[in-house]
Amino acid sequence: MRFHPNDHLTIAEVSRRTGVSASALHFYERKGLILAARDTGNRRLFSRHMLRRISLIIVAKRLGIPLADVAEVFARLPTDQAPTHDDWQRVSRTWKRQLEERRRVLENLEHELTGCIGCGCLSMKACLLLNPDDALRDEGPGPVRLRDEGPDRTVRRRRRPDRSQDSP
């Protein structure tokens, strides 16, 4: 039996097919991520092509992509018909760029964390967490030298006087 992407499924069928609870489907609908029509008995009916959207929501959640980002991408997709291959390619490219950026940020964080833990605070000249005399107090809370400074991620490294006797 061949199905058409615009065939309708009940919420129970969609839940069974996707493994997503009915309450989560209601939530995704309220957020505008998926769309349901209503039958004469006021039951939700989902076009079969919504299964792909729901599957992508599941994948996006596993990848750590916020639902707001999913909604932004989905807003560029048609809801009244199944998206085309080109539509899905656009979505894929957008998320690929986001994941590449996230990977870069995580690799930098891993490098900094490894250096921080690995140094054992023996290198008081190179430690990015060192803040002698609380000199950075006016630059904001937390480890201000480790902040992500945008796409180019420049970590501020200041020359400090040799204070090998100071403690962090």
Side-chain angles (χ1 to χ4, degrees):
M1 177 181 230
R2 184 121 171 102
F3 296 105
H4 188 274
N6 291 326
D7 288 345
H8 288 99
L9 303 169
T10 66
I11 196 164
E13 292 170 315
V14 171
S15 181
R16 182 181 52 77
R17 290 284 312 278
T18 62
V20 174
S21 69
S23 62
L25 294 172
H26 292 273
F27 176 78
Y28 296 152
E29 185 182 10
R30 283 191 309 274
K31 293 292 183 187
L33 298 170
I34 59 176
L35 183 68
R38 299 287 182 147
D39 68 5
T40 56
N42 203 29
R43 293 184 312 159
R44 285 178 172 79
L45 295 175
F46 295 90
S47 294
R48 186 173 295 280
H49 67 83
M50 287 292 150
L51 293 174
R52 174 150 306 158
R53 279 181 176 247
I54 297 163
S55 296
L56 281 173
I57 293 167
I58 295 167
V59 169
K61 284 176 53 178
R62 284 185 26 212
L63 294 173
I65 297 172
L67 286 180
D69 291 353
V70 175
E72 184 179 312
V73 170
F74 278 9
R76 295 179 244 152
L77 295 174
T79 56
D80 59 339
Q81 63 185 16
T84 66
H85 176 76
D86 288 341
D87 291 331
W88 289 121
Q89 288 299 310
R90 275 195 320 277
V91 168
S92 175
R93 282 191 299 271
T94 299
W95 284 345
K96 185 176 187 313
R97 284 189 301 272
Q98 289 176 350
L99 291 172
E100 286 169 349
E101 174 62 17
R102 183 174 294 145
R103 183 181 311 114
R104 190 186 60 70
V105 168
L106 287 172
E107 286 170 354
N108 285 340
L109 180 61
E110 179 184 27
H111 175 73
E112 291 164 358
L113 183 62
T114 301
C116 181
I117 291 172
C119 83
C121 291
L122 297 175
S123 175
M124 294 306 201
K125 291 180 184 177
C127 182
L128 290 175
L129 297 176
L130 188 65
N131 184 13
D133 303 321
D134 200 19
L136 302 174
R137 68 183 161 272
D138 294 331
E139 294 194 34
V144 296
R145 289 191 181 110
L146 298 182
R147 285 194 188 135
D148 186 0
E149 299 292 335
D152 297 328
R153 191 159 195 299
T154 54
V155 175
R156 290 180 277 172
R157 298 175 193 263
R158 293 190 177 181
R159 302 285 281 156
R160 292 181 301 278
D162 182 6
R163 295 189 177 199
S164 55
Q165 306 303 320
D166 289 349
S167 60

